[in-house]
Amino acid sequence: MKDLVIIGSGPAGLSAAVYAKRAGLDAIVIEKDPVSGGQILITYEVDNYLGLPGINGFDMGTKFREHADKLGAEFAEGTVTEVVKVSEGDDSTAPVFKVVTDQGEYETKTVILATGASHNKLGIKGEEEFTGRGVSYCATCDGAFFRNKVAVVNGGGDVAVEDAIFLARGCSKVYLVHRRDELRAAKILQEELMSLSNVEIIWDSVVEEVKGDNKVTAITVKNVKSGEKKDIDTDALFVAIGIHPLTESFTGLCEMDESGYVIAKEDGATSTQGVFVAGDSRKKRLRQIVTAVADGANAVTAVQDFLIGKK
Ligand code: FAD
Ligand code: NAP
């Protein structure tokens, strides 16, 4: 019987692992991917984490994991498919949860859900057909394939603008298609984007279709104000239209909002006693590395408080 099972080893889960180890809790982190680090692994540069300006995302993920390893945190590989409350517990007894993975099961007194989020899809014609053949969700991973070629980025948030800036370094031309006339991305990123001569922004427009033969050759965009449609010749479409929480496996375990974000207080305590949440899968205003790391620390502190006096 574990004191704590931490599900996910992104910034939130790894921070929780460090705090749990230092608190002397018998904890284990379960991660579905072969490498820890979560979403930051695919970002080429993180420039807003205090003390580490400009760090490469993969290096940051590696550093976070090394920190947890150095303290002796325990890790296991597996995709958690279900968390079941086996017994309720009371003032002197902790509840018991069964954490089911594709590799085995764990019994634990508490759980921290730190499963983060994943990219959204457009759901348009050609998107699925051309995924891996010009349609991509990761500019850092696939951008190099389009050196000296044309790329389109769809979205107006931090990821879309960062992707466009990154791609503009190698592509001959980058179009950014955004559905409004104003970007959501941080001002500093917008300024950098606007300074690039090979980037063109297509405002008030949505991507309606991806076209090609055995790879992408064009996309159809529609101006949402005028209704006018046109084709843009391109070799790639990078979709960067936001994220959704990876919480489907926990439906019914604790309260969530309509999008699947787990509702919790600042300390991560959910509507179910013994279940805590940290990071991007928590309903909150700012989803960043710094808030994920803070969430992990807060959640472990709440776990400690919860377990006081409980066998
Ligand atoms: P995640 O990083 O999503 O990690 C969750 C982990 O849980 C993953 O490793 C996942 O594999 C694992 N997992 C999920 N489901 C399961 C399951 N069922 N079983 C087992 N394991 C599971 N933020 C910044 O502050 N600065 C930036 O510059 C920045 N750049 C970004 C660039 C990109 C391209 C992206 C996508 C995001 C960026 N962010 C940035 C946001 C930042 O990455 C997130 O806020 C942060 O990673 C959230 O951490 P997390 O631990 O909550 O979730
Ligand atoms: P985001 O901030 O939610 O932005 C999503 C963008 O896609 C928005 O501009 C949105 O348009 C647009 N969009 C959503 N659905 C769409 C659809 N169906 N069709 C067309 N456009 C659509 O998501 P994100 O950029 O992926 O960022 C995710 C999180 O990571 C954010 O919290 C972000 O701050 C964080 N992050 C931070 C940094 C950094 O700090 N440097 C870098 C990367 C990511 P509207 O604007 O009209 O809503």
Side-chain angles (χ1 to χ4, degrees), residues 286-306:
L286 184 64
R287 293 195 174 84
Q288 296 270 276
I289 302 160
V290 71
T291 58
V293 165
D295 278 0
N298 277 323
V300 170
T301 307
V303 165
Q304 277 180 280
D305 291 347
F306 177 73

Side-chain angles (χ1 to χ4, degrees), residues 51-215:
L52 298 171
I55 188 168
N56 170 272
F58 191 87
D59 293 345
M60 188 179 207
T62 307
K63 268 182 192 290
F64 284 176
R65 170 68 194 251
E66 280 171 2
H67 189 167
D69 282 339
K70 195 172 155 209
L71 292 174
E74 189 182 348
F75 287 85
E77 223 177 285
T79 299
V80 175
T81 52
E82 202 184 4
V83 176
V84 184
K85 197 171 208 180
V86 178
S87 69
E88 277 296 336
D90 53 33
D91 285 350
S92 57
T93 319
V96 176
F97 295 92
K98 185 172 71 175
V99 176
V100 183
T101 84
D102 57 354
Q103 318 256 345
E105 292 180 3
Y106 300 83
E107 277 203 331
T108 180
K109 297 173 185 170
T110 61
V111 181
I112 295 178
L113 310 176
T115 46
S118 182
H119 58 255
N120 291 336
K121 293 188 173 179
L122 282 163
I124 56 168
K125 194 171 171 211
E127 182 182 19
E128 206 155 321
E129 183 187 347
F130 291 109
T131 294
R133 292 188 289 143
V135 173
S136 169
Y137 302 86
C138 176
T140 325
C141 319
D142 300 330
F145 299 124
F146 304 99
R147 185 158 280 279
N148 300 320
K149 292 186 173 172
V150 178
V152 174
V153 178
N154 188 199
D158 287 328
V159 171
V161 173
E162 280 191 347
D163 283 359
I165 294 167
F166 175 73
L167 290 166
R169 292 178 189 164
C171 295
S172 54
K173 173 92 184 179
V174 175
Y175 294 96
L176 182 81
V177 179
H178 182 40
R179 63 182 177 183
R180 291 188 293 133
D181 59 2
E182 196 185 358
L183 296 168
R184 177 182 294 276
K187 286 282 173 278
I188 191 167
L189 291 173
Q190 294 192 33
E191 282 163 17
E192 191 177 344
L193 183 80
M194 303 298 177
S195 73
L196 300 171
S197 57
N198 61 339
V199 175
E200 183 179 332
I201 304 180
I202 301 178
W203 299 106
D204 298 315
S205 298
V206 291
V207 181
E208 279 211 328
E209 187 181 344
V210 186
K211 293 178 169 171
D213 31 55
N214 69 335
K215 55 187 174 56

Side-chain angles (χ1 to χ4, degrees), residues 6-13 39 111-118 243-251 253-265 268-270 275-289 291-293 295-296 299:
I6 299 162
I7 308 172
S9 71
Q39 292 169 70
V111 181
I112 295 178
L113 310 176
T115 46
S118 182
I243 55 173
H244 61 272
L246 294 179
T247 54
E248 313 89 79
S249 310
F250 315 124
T251 305
L253 178 67
C254 55
E255 207 184 331
M256 297 179 189
D257 73 3
E258 63 288 352
S259 306
Y261 288 102
V262 177
I263 295 170
K265 303 172 200 145
T270 71
V275 177
F276 300 80
V277 63
D280 273 16
S281 52
R282 180 166 81 87
K283 186 177 168 67
K284 60 179 176 176
R285 169 74 178 84
L286 184 64
R287 293 195 174 84
Q288 296 270 276
I289 302 160
T291 58
V293 165
D295 278 0

